[in-house]
Amino acid sequence: MTGARRSKRTEALEQRPVNLDGFVEEWPEVGMVAMDSPYDPEPGVRVEDGVIVEMDGKPRAEFDFLDQFIADHAIDVEATEHAMAVPAVAIAHLLVDPRATRQDVLALTRGLTPAKLLEVVKTMNVVEMMMALQKMRARRTPANQAHATSARDNPVQVAADAAEASLRGFRELETTLGVVRYAPLVAIALQVGAQAGTPGVLTQCALEEATELELGMRGITAYAETISVYGTEPVFCDGDDTPWSKAFLASAYASRGIKMRFTSGTGSEVQMGNAEGKSMLYLEIRCILVTKGAGVQGLQNGSISCIGVPGAVPAGIRAVLAENLVASMVDLECASGNDQSFSHSDMRRVARLLPQLLPGTDFVCSGYSSTPNYDNMFAGSNVDAEDYDDWNVLQRDLQVDGGLRHVPEAEILAARNRAARALQGVFAQLDLPPITDKEVEAVTYAHGSKDLPLRDVLEDLKAAQSVMDRGVTGVDIVKALDGAGFTDMAESLLAVLRQRVSGDLLHTSAILTPELETLSAINDVNDYAGPGSGYRPTGARWEEMKRLRHVVSAQNPEQEVV
């Protein structure tokens, strides 16, 4: 024999997509461990004269700037010694016990240190964490967020995909760019397209922070999310930032009525080479408490762009669920990941999704790709436009609400066409490069950028700069929509801009309904208290979820009912 003979079974298994994924053994010394490092600190706290002078085994004189920020701004000093004295397993019992209210849990968790929060979730398995998450999410009604991007930064495509995503049920839409200078045109396209589906969808353009803030202040975007925080001081400093500078930036957004979340996620510190030997989840909990201490309403977390790191180590996906739970445990809005692509295996993709879809979160995805993945400029997504029907079937099979709905093709085509025509009119009104009827026709029926005619990139980039130079604002876009004959879309966008003045979008977990009313943790309080309580898809929403592409009549199997 020239070599060991292999079985046909092994050969078949080797061809399975899951074996294209990357897996690595744990290495705690560099932080390559999900949630149980021997170098994680033991929980503890000591308070003197109303100041935390020792936290998780470290005296105040040895605090780094994250310890100091968390101790001074994120932990309730009056509650901490009592809360820390409660055994971790007892707090975990409160989390899963339906007789304990969300407020009962928050009364304790507001006093917990990072190490204590880690100790609590380490006692819980995945099912228990999901039980806790359905009680601890801030807003009663789950929602969803989508990416709308183009590999060619094509604003016409972004507008059409935004309209379709809006019609399918997403309440927030996010874009980013391959060429950053395209941002003003694409941000305008996203905002226009979003109102062509259902009114009140909020939009953002993820860029470097100065440009993102300027677009928000001009009213060309309505919220922000990609303000990153990190769990170790060296990684924070790599970005020329501190917790205080991030808090100042957050206040700049809030002062203009712009909704915003921070972004963090397990694995970022390992990926950036400064995990200090701590577990990914411990460091992420520090990020969560920095967010809480900064007074920000929410957090995009769930590993996000670092998902390949926890996805490669044992219990990594469990740690991702745990970070979502901890964000909700400290009363933050949670956009719970299911964002960047991480696996070749469809089974793993769904397993990654279900811990958030089943209990529901404020935003089940922080980036469901409304495009095919080749157009997703956030490095691909765990779920994309080709998964719409599967998602709707999962909702129907399990009677869980992931925020989406099936829409007949005729309605989708009408919305895509309307978005493209509206953007065509806006561009004409603002003296931007023309959108041709050929482009409008193509994008109505397109799947992705490969199906569209090329635009003159140089002219678009000049026009994008002119938008910034001329000081174009959201009000100008409203006027342009009205001038182009899309008055209802103009009124919808103006209503979104009015929300900036009221400040209602700054409440935790705030979204706008299609009726242009704010829904948040203030007026849509999560009231889960065990079986028979809390949010459950019923009535008109359940009837909507039952409708799929190929449901047939029970009396006449030859006839589709939708």
Side-chain angles (χ1 to χ4, degrees):
M1 292 178 62
T2 57
R5 183 178 178 184
R6 305 190 74 186
S7 77
K8 297 293 185 181
R9 176 74 48 79
T10 299
E11 290 177 354
L13 288 171
E14 287 284 6
Q15 298 304 311
R16 296 291 295 168
V18 73
N19 286 306
L20 295 172
D21 291 356
F23 303 101
V24 66
E25 65 179 349
E26 294 169 313
W27 188 4
E29 287 76 12
V30 299
M32 189 66 76
V33 59
M35 54 191 297
D36 196 10
S37 171
Y39 305 106
D40 288 336
E42 291 297 317
V45 75
R46 187 161 60 89
V47 177
E48 291 182 0
D49 299 324
V51 175
I52 293 176
V53 296
E54 184 176 318
M55 184 174 71
D56 294 341
K58 188 185 293 186
R60 192 174 183 92
E62 298 177 12
F63 283 3
D64 63 15
F65 64 37
L66 280 96
D67 295 319
Q68 183 181 339
F69 191 85
I70 290 167
D72 292 349
H73 301 290
I75 296 175
D76 186 333
V77 178
E78 294 183 359
T80 187
E81 289 183 313
H82 164 70
M84 291 292 288
V86 179
V89 71
I91 299 172
H93 274 264
L94 289 176
L95 281 163
V96 300
D97 185 349
R99 294 167 296 183
T101 68
R102 185 174 187 270
Q103 292 303 317
D104 293 334
V105 178
L106 293 176
L108 287 174
T109 54
R110 69 173 186 244
L112 300 185
T113 67
K116 185 71 171 191
L117 286 163
L118 176 64
E119 187 181 34
V120 170
V121 293
K122 280 170 62 176
T123 70
M124 306 172 74
N125 64 30
V126 169
V127 175
E128 290 159 350
M129 289 184 200
M130 287 194 286
M131 291 172 64
L133 190 55
Q134 69 178 338
K135 177 168 73 179
M136 295 310 298
R137 75 167 179 267
R139 190 180 59 245
R140 185 176 189 268
T141 309
N144 218 330
Q145 178 186 240
H147 291 158
T149 62
S150 167
R152 294 174 178 164
D153 295 332
N154 187 320
V156 191
Q157 178 191 359
V158 169
D161 282 334
E164 179 176 343
S166 169
L167 199 62
R168 288 184 181 273
F170 294 100
R171 300 316 299 163
E172 291 187 348
L173 298 176
E174 175 187 20
T175 194
T176 194
L177 291 302
V179 178
V180 174
R181 290 167 56 203
Y182 242 121
L185 296 191
V186 173
I188 289 171
L190 185 70
Q191 194 173 51
V192 169
Q195 306 310 317
T198 57
V201 174
L202 305 180
T203 63
Q204 70 153 314
C205 186
L207 302 162
E208 51 82 23
E209 290 164 356
T211 305
E212 188 169 348
L213 181 58
E214 183 172 358
L215 289 173
M217 287 184 168
R218 289 186 181 205
I220 297 176
T221 58
Y223 75 106
E225 182 180 58
T226 50
I227 293 84
S228 298
V229 290
Y230 304 99
T232 66
E233 188 172 300
V235 173
F236 237 123
C237 290
D238 278 350
D240 297 322
D241 279 309
T242 71
W244 291 271
S245 68
K246 291 294 188 181
F248 180 81
L249 179 62
S251 70
Y253 281 100
S255 70
R256 299 301 191 274
I258 305 169
K259 174 183 175 175
M260 67 94 67
R261 295 186 284 266
F262 280 171
T263 292
S264 62
T266 51
S268 62
E269 298 81 13
V270 181
Q271 193 160 283
M272 297 175 73
N274 267 306
E276 299 180 346
K278 305 300 192 297
S279 70
M280 299 179 202
L281 183 57
Y282 170 74
L283 297 180
E284 170 57 15
I285 291 171
R286 299 182 90 198
C287 297
I288 293 168
L289 290 181
V290 165
T291 304
K292 180 69 175 177
V296 177
Q297 68 202 75
L299 186 67
Q300 173 188 217
N301 80 341
S303 196
I304 313 301
S305 58
C306 305
I307 186 64
V309 181
V313 299
I317 301 305
R318 175 179 171 231
V320 170
L321 172 59
E323 66 175 285
N324 298 148
L325 174 58
V326 173
S328 297
M329 284 167 58
V330 299
D331 205 20
L332 293 173
E333 167 184 311
C334 178
S336 57
N338 292 298
D339 193 311
Q340 185 167 305
S341 178
F342 85 109
S343 177
H344 295 83
S345 164
D346 286 340
M347 189 177 290
R348 281 194 87 200
R349 289 199 301 126
V350 176
R352 158 75 183 94
L353 164 69
L354 288 179
Q356 292 78 28
L357 176 63
L358 296 184
T361 64
D362 295 307
F363 298 91
V364 176
C365 297
S366 62
Y368 185 122
S369 180
S370 69
T371 68
N373 258 332
Y374 74 76
D375 267 320
N376 189 294
M377 299 307 291
F378 291 96
S381 178
N382 191 52
V383 277
D384 63 36
E386 295 173 10
D387 296 314
Y388 280 139
D389 288 352
D390 298 79
W391 185 285
N392 288 326
V393 170
L394 286 177
Q395 291 184 147
R396 185 179 187 265
D397 284 346
L398 302 172
Q399 200 170 353
V400 296
D401 195 342
L404 304 191
R405 66 189 183 107
H406 170 67
V407 183
E409 184 184 24
E411 293 180 33
I412 289 172
L413 295 178
R416 293 180 67 90
N417 183 269
R418 190 161 191 257
R421 288 189 294 105
L423 189 66
Q424 184 183 48
V426 167
F427 272 32
Q429 293 281 318
L430 296 178
D431 196 26
L432 299 174
I435 294 170
T436 66
D437 290 341
K438 181 180 178 182
E439 289 178 276
V440 172
E441 177 73 7
V443 83
T444 301
Y445 299 95
H447 181 39
S449 60
K450 296 176 182 178
D451 306 318
L452 301 176
L454 297 177
R455 287 185 58 79
D456 187 327
V457 175
L458 182 59
E459 289 303 310
D460 275 353
L461 292 177
K462 290 179 181 177
Q465 186 59 50
S466 80
V467 168
M468 305 305 286
D469 294 342
R470 288 184 285 154
V472 173
T473 69
V475 173
D476 293 318
I477 300 168
V478 171
K479 292 178 179 177
L481 279 168
D482 188 51
F486 295 89
T487 301
D488 60 333
M489 290 173 60
E491 291 173 346
S492 174
L493 180 54
L494 184 60
V496 173
L497 294 174
R498 283 199 193 101
Q499 290 290 330
R500 300 275 291 275
V501 179
S502 73
D504 285 351
L505 292 179
L506 301 183
H507 291 311
T508 301
S509 303
I511 57 174
L512 282 178
T513 68
E515 293 73 39
L516 298 171
E517 297 175 352
T518 305
L519 201 65
S520 73
I522 300 298
N523 64 351
D524 189 37
V525 180
N526 186 0
D527 58 354
Y528 177 78
S533 70
Y535 177 81
R536 291 152 197 271
T538 57
R541 174 58 178 148
W542 177 225
E543 292 304 314
E544 180 179 64
M545 289 166 59
K546 291 178 185 179
R547 295 193 288 272
L548 300 178
R549 185 180 302 280
H550 296 302
V551 176
V552 299
S553 165
Q555 285 77 32
N556 180 8
E558 300 299 320
Q559 178 185 341
E560 291 189 5
V561 296
V562 176

